[in-house]
Amino acid sequence: MAEIQRCYKSVLSKWLGGRKEFTLLYQATRDGCSASVFHQKCNGKGPTVTLLYNTAGYVFGGYTSIAWTATTITCVCGYAASYPPDTTKWTCSYCGAKGNESYLSTTSQYSNDPAAFIFRLTDKKSFKPKFYRVKQAGNAVIQNSLNGPCFGSDLQPFTKTVTKTDNYFQGNGSINVGTHYNMAGDDNTVFCGNNVQYTDIEVYQVTESEGKHFASASADGAWRKTGQVNCQMLQSYIERFTPPEGSKVKAVNMLLLGAVGAGKSSFFNSINSVFQGEITGLARSGSADRSLTTTYRRYRVKSNVTGDTLKIRFCDTRGLECDGGLDLVDLIAVVEGHIPDRLQFNPTAPINSDCTGYNSSPSPDDKIHCIAFVIDGTTVDVFPEKILHAIKSLQQRINTKGIPQVIILTKADKVCMEVQENVGDMFNSATIGDLVEQAGHLFGLPRSCVFPVKNYEDEVEVDKLVHMPLLLCLKQVLRFADDYLQDSISSD
């Protein structure tokens, strides 16, 4: 059964005024894009949220606090029948007409709902939530047995039955925003890209949450306690860190590994920004279907306070992809230190000893000392199986080597509206606490190895509230790497 994505749940709950639960009632890809099935599954179920996904990457929909209901449908002969019949097999008991929805008609009935609103959650796959209040409450919802969920005359996705073609349902209703809902100047293009090709349509029942969430929050509400530590203390610790004597390591090598678009290059840029005191963009980052990182890079960070270079290298690779990207052979070669800085990856062939610059005899200083799985926090609920399998395969190989692993959850601010408004609430958000627990379970790592962060994306100036989660993550990585190196020394 599909679950509403955590970031959608968070913002919808905020708009609805409290922690809510969302139970899937209807899904077009599962149940068929059929008005009769929609009504059979959703009528009388109380408040609902409808989500529509289109081929342009928009997620949008509507909320109503009242239940969907049936209206009387009528055969063309004038005979009225109680709903619901099966409109594809219905036979009129009066004239015998059957088997075609064109024989049926119905009268729309408007329902009053001052609490109704329509909304957009994503814009071209980018999470940009915005909601629009009803301005004519008496026309908030249209009840029509031959239509799917209708929000006034503004949002009417489909009528009767739509067959899926080319991986989408072609909407045969209409979108005309601004009629019964206050769009504040936004039009169809802003709302949904003016696209009615639906990859899926979902309707969720909305109920009050029973309050079951991350159970390890402290008495003051924090799920992760940071004690009396502050950014200056953390930054000073990191600046003073040196690998243990006898490890033959000049600097800790931290491998950043994640799917395309997860934010691993942005994570390095954010760390660099912290220590430079201004927003930087040394590592190439952005939005693309394929990895923007095409070479293996070992980045260093210099502190603008001490003037010294940190004793940590951030090792950036191509992003993992469901179809292409780094394979296990390449990953093992990176972990074992065979790959020199600035090696260009070949997308058609794995790395081998014949590659230019291949290091056949890596020293401890060449090898990876900690692996950070960089995960887009908004995708934990729907993490790609192929990429998860690749990560699990790598974990099986490196677990025997004892190399420490952490999870960096980027875009944590987009998972929780409270954190989006105030990054300082990162460790007080039950939603983030839930996410940390889920991510740890997904990758088989304890919660103490999972670090939610916000990368610098829109900002043009640094912010101490953004620094704190980043620095806590980096300090723990250095601690884990130090333990690993100390153990390596004792085993020699």
Side-chain angles (χ1 to χ4, degrees):
M1 178 181 292
E3 279 192 32
I4 192 168
Q5 287 195 40
R6 191 182 303 269
C7 53
Y8 302 164
K9 181 176 180 179
S10 174
V11 68
L12 288 168
S13 291
K14 183 174 179 63
W15 289 338
L16 293 170
R19 195 174 175 85
K20 306 295 182 183
E21 295 298 331
F22 300 85
T23 304
L24 184 67
L25 299 175
Y26 167 80
Q27 184 178 30
T29 54
R30 181 193 67 185
D31 305 316
C33 190
S34 164
S36 64
V37 177
F38 158 71
H39 283 285
Q40 288 165 13
K41 289 181 174 291
C42 300
N43 283 359
K45 297 297 176 68
T48 56
V49 161
T50 298
L51 295 183
L52 299 111
Y53 306 76
N54 71 18
T55 56
Y58 287 76
V59 180
F60 56 102
Y63 165 79
T64 176
S65 66
I66 63 175
W68 297 105
T69 63
T71 56
T72 299
I73 65 171
T74 308
C75 177
V76 290
C77 73
Y79 178 81
S82 298
Y83 190 86
D86 183 337
T87 57
T88 62
K89 298 179 180 179
W90 182 60
T91 299
C92 177
S93 60
Y94 184 77
C95 73
K98 61 182 178 180
N100 193 324
E101 289 175 331
S102 63
Y103 281 91
L104 306 175
S105 64
T106 186
T107 301
S108 296
Q109 298 175 358
Y110 282 97
S111 293
N112 181 72
D113 184 10
F117 59 86
I118 60 175
F119 56 83
R120 181 199 66 202
L121 294 174
T122 68
D123 173 352
K124 299 177 183 177
K125 299 183 180 180
S126 179
F127 188 60
K128 295 180 179 179
K130 189 171 184 180
F131 84 110
Y132 310 90
R133 297 184 184 278
V134 65
K135 64 180 180 180
Q136 296 181 22
N139 300 107
V141 172
I142 294 178
Q143 308 282 10
N144 186 314
S145 296
L146 296 183
N147 287 355
C150 295
F151 296 87
S153 297
D154 298 57
L155 181 57
Q156 301 179 14
F158 67 93
T159 182
K160 298 182 180 178
T161 297
V162 177
T163 302
K164 190 175 185 179
T165 57
D166 297 327
N167 296 318
Y168 64 83
F169 301 98
Q170 179 64 53
N172 61 356
S174 65
I175 297 181
N176 185 29
V177 296
T179 306
H180 296 131
Y181 287 81
N182 185 358
M183 302 303 293
D186 289 351
D187 57 12
N188 286 0
T189 301
V190 175
F191 181 64
C192 65
N194 206 25
N195 181 301
V196 293
Q197 295 176 343
Y198 303 115
T199 57
D200 211 349
I201 301 169
E202 298 169 344
V203 180
Y204 292 86
Q205 182 182 43
V206 181
T207 56
E208 294 296 327
S209 172
E210 296 180 359
K212 295 179 180 179
H213 54 80
F214 192 77
S216 59
S218 63
D220 62 1
W223 59 266
R224 174 166 289 168
K225 301 200 72 171
T226 58
Q228 300 301 314
V229 71
N230 57 44
C231 286
Q232 184 176 355
M233 295 167 60
L234 291 169
Q235 189 165 336
S236 177
Y237 174 91
I238 295 165
E239 289 167 342
R240 291 184 287 104
F241 174 86
T242 58
E245 189 175 350
S247 65
K248 301 178 183 179
V249 170
K250 298 176 183 178
V252 165
N253 293 324
M254 174 186 180
L255 176 61
L256 303 175
L257 191 62
V260 173
K264 55 188 180 60
S265 298
S266 294
F267 174 77
F268 164 74
N269 287 337
S270 298
I271 292 292
N272 197 39
S273 298
V274 171
F275 287 92
Q276 290 297 307
E278 59 186 14
I279 302 298
T280 65
L282 178 60
R284 189 180 177 198
S285 62
S287 299
D289 293 331
R290 293 288 182 177
S291 178
L292 294 176
T293 304
T294 58
T295 60
Y296 178 63
R297 289 301 314 272
R298 289 187 172 185
Y299 293 109
R300 302 295 296 273
V301 172
K302 186 176 182 179
S303 170
N304 72 333
V305 175
T306 66
D308 297 327
T309 300
L310 303 185
K311 298 297 190 296
I312 181 171
R313 305 182 186 101
F314 297 85
C315 305
D316 196 11
T317 70
R318 288 181 63 196
L320 299 174
E321 302 175 34
C322 291
D323 181 19
L326 285 179
D327 62 16
L328 185 59
V329 173
D330 292 343
L331 290 173
I332 295 300
V334 170
V335 171
E336 293 182 345
H338 295 296
I339 309 305
D341 188 24
R342 299 181 186 273
L343 180 135
Q344 182 78 33
F345 291 107
N346 184 344
T348 62
I351 296 168
N352 57 56
S353 58
D354 295 328
C355 295
T356 303
Y358 185 88
N359 185 355
S360 299
S361 302
S363 69
D365 193 54
D366 298 318
K367 298 180 179 182
I368 297 300
H369 309 120
C370 183
I371 296 177
F373 298 113
V374 183
I375 308 301
D376 179 343
T378 67
T379 69
V380 172
D381 295 320
V382 289
F383 197 79
E385 285 293 332
K386 287 186 177 180
I387 295 179
L388 181 61
H389 177 73
I391 290 175
K392 292 288 188 181
S393 297
L394 176 63
Q395 285 182 307
Q396 289 178 0
R397 295 287 296 272
I398 62 177
N399 284 342
T400 60
K401 301 176 182 292
I403 301 173
Q405 306 161 43
V406 299
I407 299 170
I408 299 174
L409 290 174
T410 61
K411 306 180 186 180
D413 55 308
K414 296 182 178 180
V415 176
C416 177
M417 284 296 290
E418 285 74 15
V419 175
Q420 191 168 47
E421 294 172 359
N422 181 9
V423 182
D425 286 335
M426 183 79 76
F427 303 126
N428 294 317
S429 165
T431 299
I432 301 297
D434 288 340
L435 184 67
V436 165
E437 185 170 36
Q438 183 181 359
H441 178 75
L442 188 66
F443 291 91
L445 295 174
R447 293 191 299 270
S448 60
C449 295
V450 184
F451 300 94
V453 301
K454 179 201 177 321
N455 287 334
Y456 281 114
E457 295 179 353
D458 303 324
E459 297 82 0
V460 294
E461 298 291 340
V462 294
D463 182 346
K464 293 291 185 181
L465 293 178
V466 176
H467 289 188
M468 189 68 171
L470 291 166
L471 290 171
L472 279 171
C473 171
L474 193 54
K475 180 183 180 182
Q476 200 60 40
V477 164
L478 292 175
R479 281 179 169 175
F480 289 154
D482 186 78
D483 290 341
Y484 169 68
L485 293 171
Q486 291 281 9
D487 185 63
S488 298
I489 294 170
S490 63
S491 63
D492 288 342

